[in-house]
Amino acid sequence: MPTTMIAYVEQQRRLVSDGDAEPSDGGDAGQENIGALDVAAAAAAGDIALAARDFGGMVFIPPATLLRPSTTDDVVRAVCVARRSSRLTVAARGNGHSVGGQAMARGGVVLDMRDLGPPMELVRCGGVAADVPAGALWEEVLEWGVRNHGMAPTSWTDYLGLTVGGTLSNGGIGGQAFRHGPQVANVAELEVVTGDGERRVCSPSLCSDLFFAALGGLGQFGVITRARIPLVPAPKMVRWIRVVYKGFEEYAGDAEWLVTRADSEAFDYVEGFAFVNDVSDPVNGWGSVAILPGSVFDPAKIPAESEPVLYCLELALHHNHRGAAGVDERAKEMMWPLRYMRGLVFAADVSYVDFLSRVGRSEEEARANGTWATPHPWLNILVSSSDIADFDRTVFKRILRRGVGGPMLVYPLLRSKWDPRMSVAVPESEVFYLVALLRFIAPREGDAALEEAVAQNREIIGCCRSKGYDFKVYIPRYESEADWARHFGRDWARFVERKRRYDPIAILAPGQTIFARAEPPAAAP
Ligand code: FAD
């Protein structure tokens, strides 16, 4: 197909000669084979430049091309072409919400997974499940499931503008994870295109090693093209509650007590965050606690001797068959032993869809004030419960006492909900905390604020290491093999062996900078 081939080469030249683009170093290798791709699926040059960026906004890595596969066969073709070339790599791009270039491929092929089909489908396999294309956003899964079937998955991230394949390649953590496990623990089957160009269906009982490798596998073992996600009846309404604590000890004690209760006595959702004890900070201060606009945060309720940082426990209870009165009673019963500051309680009854979509409203605000487009030096860490009190003293109360310009989540999870056969690395202890420092930088703050934030992140990681905490970075980004080996610990050998088995010449997800692309195997004589 000569015309499309020319179109492709022009796109590539334009990209390389763009003033703001670095030359891609895979150019020749790309041209040697790229003609074999169905470049009818190739995107326009402007979109190719988009694939060089992500939500983090801190790295810019141009690919040779961006393809929009609509079928698994398109994905197979792209991987096979890369495999025959000497240097091409392939990165699946979900919604590009990584913050360190993880979905990029320098001089390689980026697959924009958003157009992948076929459409979602309800399947009955013991229970009810949805077969979902990996490029679907979780908000699309929610909308489709609730509207068409009154059903929904059980485990969610806070923000739903992420793809199914993207969160399953990392973990997918939210307030339901203490009870149902993270999203990677709520999958019945995957279809995956491995680095040898094979399309494989896997599950806990079929090709189970590949199934568990791909879950939290940072895209290293295959491009996930379809996931089967179990569904349950969706509740209509949710009681959404926030209560404030003045001390970390009571906050963490109560949060751990709540996440270790039997299911019949548990909330449906438990999260929480640290915030700055300051009225004047609209992002990190008292104003971040209210649920509904117009709720009043009464400062008289905060003791004068309070620390610079306070804590907010966030809970939710599904109405199910209970109705509002039943939920009142149940919530009261479940909350009376908690040690929050009486008088600092915020609650609202909202629809299930509105509750799960709550961060979408913050996205609208951030887009309006420009902070969605500025760099996001985010840091997510999983810290063992045995170290979290010291972490609080060192990090929240000292390093971050003025906040991070966005949410500082800190809430407990249970290791027993994470299958150790999956690739995700988590701390050793049964209870560990997700600490998410979701930094937003106002447009006027500029490079100095970015540098300060990056330096703070480095200081926090350095501190976790020097104090010998049991911790893991969640959604990690390391450059050296030694760092990756340390990250995976005793599972590093398994990770390397799985790479050898499923992507032996390291074509996939090069933006994770774990393995270097190798030469293709010599053709048989
Ligand atoms: P991308 O960033 O596009 O890709 C991430 C990695 O996965 C890349 O290496 C990519 O190559 C690989 N990948 C993508 N799709 C596939 C596929 N189909 N097959 C194989 N590999 C693939 N995380 C949580 O756990 N909980 C949260 O509550 C949460 N909230 C967030 C809120 C915001 C506003 C943002 C920006 C991120 C949040 N995250 C959260 C982090 C999120 O899980 C990661 O950004 C993740 O990368 C998913 O984003 P994505 O779908 O855009 O994937």
Side-chain angles (χ1 to χ4, degrees):
M1 45 175 83
T3 351
T4 42
M5 174 69 185
I6 290 165
Y8 163 72
V9 171
E10 277 178 6
Q11 285 166 15
Q12 190 180 42
R13 279 210 204 98
R14 210 170 314 144
L15 187 71
V16 171
S17 61
D18 264 359
D20 64 342
E22 291 168 19
S24 69
D25 63 4
D28 292 347
Q31 289 190 24
E32 139 206 342
N33 283 72
I34 207 98
L37 289 170
D38 174 9
V39 285
D47 291 340
I48 296 177
L50 259 188
R53 302 177 199 279
D54 64 19
F55 181 77
M58 294 176 290
V59 290
F60 181 83
I61 303 177
T65 194
L66 172 73
L67 298 182
R68 298 217 157 94
S70 55
T71 65
T72 299
D73 284 345
D74 291 343
V75 176
V76 168
R77 243 189 317 275
V79 172
C80 287
V81 166
R83 193 164 174 262
R84 285 195 297 273
S85 78
S86 58
R87 284 197 298 171
L88 270 183
T89 53
V90 175
R93 184 179 201 269
N95 207 19
H97 277 44
S98 296
V99 298
Q102 287 94 332
M104 299 181 192
R106 186 183 298 280
V109 179
V110 170
L111 302 178
D112 178 347
M113 302 298 284
R114 292 284 294 116
D115 290 347
L116 192 70
M120 289 180 246
E121 190 187 346
L122 198 74
V123 287
R124 292 182 196 277
C125 47
V128 179
D131 271 356
V132 177
L137 301 180
W138 283 102
E139 66 195 20
E140 293 164 350
V141 178
L142 175 66
E143 217 255 328
W144 172 87
V146 171
R147 197 192 50 204
N148 298 328
H149 307 287
M151 311 277 287
T154 50
S155 186
W156 297 94
T157 48
D158 295 344
Y159 172 66
L160 306 186
L162 310 167
T163 63
V164 170
T167 68
L168 294 186
S169 298
N170 279 298
I173 301 177
Q176 300 83 6
F178 80 92
R179 192 162 162 185
H180 301 286
Q183 290 180 322
V184 280
N186 287 275
V187 187
E189 184 182 286
L190 294 174
E191 180 189 72
V192 175
V193 176
T194 44
D196 51 9
E198 289 292 321
R199 164 194 193 139
R200 295 183 160 103
V201 174
C202 54
S203 71
S205 56
L206 178 74
C207 301
S208 61
D209 183 65
L210 174 60
F211 178 75
F212 290 112
L215 294 170
L218 307 176
Q220 294 305 302
F221 311 111
V223 176
I224 301 169
T225 46
R226 176 180 60 78
R228 180 165 292 175
I229 313 285
L231 302 179
V232 295
K236 290 215 162 27
M237 296 293 289
V238 170
R239 169 71 48 89
W240 180 10
I241 304 165
R242 286 180 175 173
V243 292
V244 176
Y245 287 75
K246 66 178 186 329
F248 188 75
E249 199 186 321
E250 294 85 13
Y251 168 77
D254 282 0
E256 290 192 24
W257 180 72
L258 287 171
V259 301
T260 48
R261 302 199 76 191
D263 278 1
S264 59
E265 296 167 2
F267 278 95
D268 292 296
Y269 165 103
V270 176
E271 281 202 12
F273 55 92
F275 66 99
V276 179
N277 187 1
D278 181 357
V279 66
S280 63
D281 183 337
V283 180
N284 279 165
W286 299 349
S288 59
V289 176
I291 290 176
L292 297 175
S295 314
V296 178
F297 188 107
D298 180 1
K301 299 283 184 335
I302 301 175
E305 75 284 6
S306 293
E307 306 251 16
V309 177
L310 303 172
Y311 309 89
C312 176
L313 186 66
E314 181 172 66
L315 308 165
L317 201 54
H318 298 169
H319 283 209
N320 288 339
H321 50 273
R322 289 190 275 263
V327 165
D328 273 346
E329 197 182 314
R330 185 102 180 89
K332 250 188 229 139
E333 185 186 302
M334 291 166 80
M335 290 180 66
W336 78 259
L338 304 181
R339 293 164 287 172
Y340 58 89
M341 288 190 270
R342 289 336 195 223
L344 284 174
V345 181
F346 301 83
D349 287 316
V350 295
S351 79
Y352 182 59
V353 171
D354 280 354
F355 175 68
L356 292 178
S357 311
R358 62 200 181 280
V359 180
R361 292 188 286 281
S362 308
E363 174 182 357
E364 283 167 25
E365 283 166 31
R367 283 190 189 279
N369 67 28
T371 55
W372 198 258
T374 51
H376 301 102
W378 285 13
L379 177 63
N380 293 281
I381 330 176
L382 305 173
V383 183
S384 154
S385 65
S386 53
D387 296 314
I388 198 70
D390 195 60
F391 182 97
D392 168 65
R393 279 190 294 275
T394 316
V395 177
F396 286 127
K397 291 203 173 75
R398 188 174 62 78
I399 303 175
L400 301 178
R401 66 190 175 284
R402 285 193 296 276
V404 297
M408 300 190 289
L409 308 184
V410 51
Y411 61 88
L413 299 161
L414 302 179
R415 188 179 211 274
S416 47
K417 301 287 179 182
W418 298 68
D419 192 314
R421 293 171 291 179
M422 299 186 306
S423 292
V424 202
V426 295
E428 297 291 331
S429 65
E430 168 58 4
V431 180
F432 61 86
Y433 283 71
L434 171 73
V435 175
L437 307 176
L438 310 181
R439 300 170 181 276
F440 285 85
I441 294 180
R444 64 185 145 66
E445 290 177 314
D447 290 350
L450 175 61
E451 277 164 31
E452 191 190 337
V454 170
Q456 265 187 355
N457 286 349
R458 213 174 294 126
E459 184 185 358
I460 292 165
I461 298 288
C463 175
C464 292
R465 280 192 182 149
S466 66
K467 287 177 166 253
Y469 291 167
D470 172 17
F471 83 104
K472 298 289 176 193
V473 173
Y474 172 59
I475 318 188
R477 180 73 166 60
Y478 295 114
E479 298 284 344
S480 76
E481 184 175 326
D483 279 338
W484 281 113
R486 173 163 49 185
H487 174 75
F488 285 106
R490 60 171 181 267
D491 292 332
W492 173 238
R494 182 184 69 179
F495 199 85
V496 172
E497 171 53 24
R498 283 173 162 174
K499 185 70 174 176
R500 193 197 57 71
R501 196 174 302 153
Y502 301 118
D503 182 24
I505 58 171
I507 290 166
L508 301 173
Q512 298 280 4
T513 63
I514 307 177
F515 299 101
R517 170 72 160 90
E519 288 288 328

